[in-house]
Amino acid sequence: MSLDVCAIGLGAIGALYAFALERSSRVRVTAVCRSNYDVVQEHGIDFVSDRLGTHAAWKPYRVVRTVEEAADRDYVFVVCAFKCLPDVITTPALLTPILARLATASQPTAFVLLQNGVGIEDDLLAALAETKPGADNVVISGCAWVDATAVDGGRKVTQFGNERLVLGYHHPAATLKTAASFSDARAHEVLDGFCGLLRAGGANVEAAEDVDIARWRKVLWNASFSTLCTLARVPVCAVLANDSSCAAVASIMREVLSVAHAALPPTQGLKEVLSDSVVNNIIEHENHESTFRPSMLVDLDAGRPMEVEAIVGGVLRRARAHGVQTPQLDLIYAALNVMQRELIKRRGSAGL
Ligand SMILES: CC(C)(CO)C(=O)C(=O)O
């Protein structure tokens, strides 16, 4: 029997991994397509992917417009591939109809957050603790290292070069009602199950021992490259082509590193993954010819709200909590926030 998986958000990342899940032949995907329902329902999605190959007009098992419509059944996994925009709608608010089912569900549901930023799991873990304390509803999150873009009005997803998805599970904070009954063994099992499905579908998946370290490693990139590319409205190669912007990227990354070291437990993993040399390594290994436009810039170009809160706001909240000064990130946040307010205002009732 096929496992029911709900994928919310069929942009480039959501489509790529929902497609991989169905290719495992063990899953049927209900896709919630809030802004691209017509395209997906009528045409399907074409893929031109270095990892998953070329495929025409893929349609998931079921396409719906809203989370309400999707919430007519229980799911083993709910993949949240929508943008993390707590300044527009929080994840628990968006998931309300699905969360409402959990109290009476016959099996636990695992939530998989495929989104940028740090601390994006906090509000969902808190909501789950109130929804059904003691239940095994695991929260997994993933860092997608993949140059994937939706083009032709969402009809086609292109993915070039490497594709790597680092996944791990989150512990509920000690103050939450779910903390006492949390089982690492069960969370591991759920994580392995999800990784296995994606691998069977051809994706390149890695299970992280400590997903928080993986998330901070990724936010180093997003808080520096994504933000500067967005503010300057240029692709990655343009930021790397200029000494002053290269120096700014490095200096912003160092600021993020100082927050990470204040916020995370001082484990060996932290010292290795987020060492002093990571900044130079990232800049040296970046493709200096890359015409890639980070998703934050793609959102700005399309007039959509950006993941400013998840990426920069997430780092700043941890910085404030641990008394770390972040003058560069404060400035970046202020500038992006002005743009974000305009985007949200203009978007208005046009829907997100
Ligand atoms: C790292 C990257 C570029 C995609 O892998 C990204 O996170 C983004 O564009 O937002």
Side-chain angles (χ1 to χ4, degrees):
M1 212 180 77
S2 293
L3 301 174
D4 270 309
V5 173
C6 180
I8 309 175
L10 233 55
I13 299 291
L16 204 67
Y17 291 112
F19 176 58
L21 284 169
E22 274 205 348
R23 279 216 318 178
S24 73
S25 308
R26 307 208 297 259
V27 161
R28 52 183 201 186
V29 170
T30 293
V32 180
C33 297
R34 292 174 303 156
S35 60
N36 55 351
Y37 175 86
D38 291 338
V39 169
V40 179
Q41 184 67 302
E42 280 159 31
H43 174 268
I45 300 178
D46 299 335
F47 289 94
V48 179
S49 160
D50 284 349
R51 174 73 64 192
L52 299 180
T54 300
H55 306 271
W58 169 71
K59 283 190 194 173
Y61 161 71
R62 196 162 75 121
V63 188
V64 297
R65 285 180 201 272
T66 63
V67 179
E68 282 81 2
E69 279 175 80
D72 61 353
R73 63 190 70 193
D74 299 333
Y75 294 98
V76 181
F77 295 103
V78 173
V79 179
C80 301
F82 50 87
K83 295 281 158 169
C84 181
L85 300 169
D87 43 349
V88 176
I89 181 166
T90 65
T91 297
L94 198 147
L95 294 178
T96 299
I98 287 180
L99 295 179
R101 287 189 69 95
L102 296 182
T104 52
S106 54
Q107 58 186 6
T109 297
F111 293 83
V112 184
L113 307 175
L114 299 186
Q115 296 163 324
N116 283 321
V118 285
I120 58 163
E121 70 286 359
D122 292 347
D123 57 359
L124 181 57
L125 284 166
L128 286 172
E130 293 310 312
T131 305
K132 197 176 178 185
D136 303 329
N137 301 306
V138 174
V139 176
I140 292 171
S141 82
C143 302
W145 292 95
V146 48
D147 290 1
T149 313
V151 295
D152 293 352
R155 278 169 167 239
K156 183 166 156 185
V157 170
T158 58
Q159 179 268 311
F160 299 116
N162 200 15
E163 171 270 329
R164 185 169 154 248
L165 180 62
V166 184
L167 289 160
Y169 63 85
H170 292 276
H171 288 91
T175 48
L176 295 177
K177 289 178 197 157
T178 34
S181 60
F182 182 80
S183 152
D184 277 283
R186 150 121 184 105
H188 251 296
E189 199 183 299
V190 173
L191 175 64
D192 287 348
F194 190 71
C195 291
L197 292 172
L198 280 174
R199 280 193 198 111
N204 177 26
V205 183
E206 233 173 77
E209 263 313 306
D210 187 330
V211 72
D212 289 320
I213 297 177
R215 297 207 70 83
W216 279 91
R217 170 64 184 78
K218 180 147 192 230
V219 92
L220 267 187
W221 200 97
N222 290 126
S224 53
F225 278 104
S226 300
T227 57
L228 285 196
C229 288
T230 303
L231 288 168
R233 296 184 184 240
V234 294
V236 172
C237 58
V239 165
L240 287 167
N242 191 302
D243 284 348
S244 60
S245 47
C246 244
V249 160
S251 171
I252 296 162
M253 281 196 216
R254 280 191 206 101
E255 211 170 87
V256 177
L257 271 187
S258 67
V259 184
H261 283 275
L264 296 175
T267 58
Q268 193 53 30
L270 176 72
K271 282 182 209 135
E272 281 163 17
V273 178
L274 298 176
S275 66
D276 289 344
S277 56
V278 70
V279 173
N280 289 343
N281 284 347
I282 293 175
I283 294 179
E284 269 165 35
H285 287 98
E286 206 52 52
N287 173 6
H288 285 239
E289 312 293 312
S290 172
T291 55
F292 184 72
R293 299 171 84 79
S295 63
M296 191 183 261
L297 175 56
V298 172
D299 287 335
L300 175 65
D301 287 343
R304 292 188 295 255
M306 310 172 287
E307 290 182 307
V308 181
E309 273 309 321
I311 293 172
V312 193
V315 177
L316 292 187
R317 273 184 290 281
R318 296 299 199 251
R320 292 306 86 92
H322 292 88
V324 181
Q325 299 295 306
T326 51
Q328 300 173 93
L329 288 163
D330 292 349
L331 183 58
I332 287 170
Y333 180 73
L336 286 173
N337 222 3
V338 172
M339 292 154 74
Q340 177 83 336
R341 296 272 73 80
E342 284 305 305
L343 289 167
I344 293 174
K345 210 183 337 164
R346 270 191 247 136
R347 200 81 176 171
S349 56
L352 298 157

